[in-house]
Amino acid sequence: MAEPPEELGQTDLEKEAIEFGELQDSVAFHLRVVYEACVDDLRPRLRDAHVEEEIGGQAVEKRGRASSRAGGLDVNHLSFLALILANPGMTQRELGKAAVRDKSSVTIALKELEELGLVERVRDARDRRYYRSYLSDKGRAFCDGTFKRVLDQHKRRVASMLGDEETGQLLGLLKRLRAAFDASSIEAPSDK
């Protein structure tokens, strides 16, 4: 069981005496900073895992420069792969809602995952307007191998910072907060 360090200490910005003003108590600000830190932790793990196990073969060009992504796969693709693994046959709309992504982001991600041979999209038999997404054999092998290994390494890193108990508490609080926002349709109260 991982135990948290004695004292986590101050962040580099706090040591530099940068004032955060109203952001200091902003849940949204701190969630964004932690999200970016998690992506920064996952990205090199995914890239390093790709060196050991070929998944794509070519780098995807983005905005005129070669991507640093592992064979075209980016950290942001992982949520789509995990959702399709757990829910084979999801529609683009269902994926967007579950991953909290807009339609164009889902379309681009699914196209890239299909080009990498990780996802297959099949036209819905009952409603030909919709496509359902499934992992290919290559996609299932990736999720069972590299993806699981990279995610496990990341989970262990987080647990080494907080400990298993606090990591569980944090996940519980984040799930409760998301459920509360979902229940309220993420509508801000009026300032009457």
Side-chain angles (χ1 to χ4, degrees):
M1 178 185 274
E3 293 295 322
E6 286 284 324
E7 182 61 45
L8 291 177
Q10 296 179 315
T11 67
D12 290 339
L13 290 177
E14 288 171 331
K15 291 175 186 173
E16 295 174 19
I18 291 178
E19 293 294 327
F20 289 97
E22 294 297 320
L23 294 176
Q24 186 62 37
D25 297 322
S26 168
V27 172
F29 173 73
H30 289 287
L31 285 174
R32 177 68 181 178
V33 171
V34 172
Y35 167 80
E36 293 297 336
C38 288
V39 168
D40 287 346
D41 181 63
L42 283 165
R43 188 169 283 127
R45 293 176 192 284
L46 183 60
R47 187 178 52 242
D48 292 347
H50 171 67
V51 170
E52 298 170 17
E53 178 183 325
E54 180 68 26
I55 61 158
Q58 79 283 349
V60 174
E61 291 292 324
K62 282 288 181 190
R63 296 183 192 96
R65 59 177 161 49
S67 172
S68 62
R69 302 195 263 181
L73 192 66
D74 187 69
V75 170
N76 296 316
H77 291 123
L78 299 181
S79 59
F80 293 111
L81 291 171
L83 286 166
I84 295 168
L85 176 66
N87 306 279
M90 289 185 86
T91 65
Q92 183 172 318
R93 178 179 289 162
E94 292 167 337
L95 278 166
K97 184 174 181 179
V100 193
R101 297 286 189 268
D102 62 50
K103 184 179 178 180
S104 63
S105 297
V106 176
T107 300
I108 291 167
L110 286 175
K111 182 179 181 217
E112 291 171 346
L113 290 168
E114 194 171 33
E115 288 172 357
L116 291 168
L118 300 173
V119 167
E120 298 170 349
R121 291 187 288 177
V122 177
R123 194 174 292 274
D124 188 291
R126 288 176 285 177
D127 190 339
R128 307 287 292 163
R129 294 174 297 172
Y130 297 104
Y131 283 88
R132 298 204 170 267
S133 297
Y134 299 90
L135 292 181
S136 64
D137 291 340
K138 185 177 181 180
R140 278 188 296 285
F142 172 76
C143 286
D144 290 342
T146 302
F147 177 53
K148 185 175 181 347
R149 188 170 62 252
V150 166
L151 199 55
D152 286 347
Q153 290 169 351
H154 175 69
K155 288 177 182 178
R156 284 193 304 272
R157 172 115 194 263
V158 171
S160 75
M161 295 175 192
L162 297 177
D164 291 338
E165 185 177 336
E166 284 186 327
T167 300
Q169 290 172 348
L170 176 60
L171 281 171
L173 289 170
L174 291 171
K175 289 174 185 178
R176 277 182 50 204
L177 187 58
R178 179 170 181 183
F181 274 115
D182 285 348
S184 68
S185 300
I186 312 178
E187 292 179 20
S190 63
D191 292 327
K192 291 183 181 180

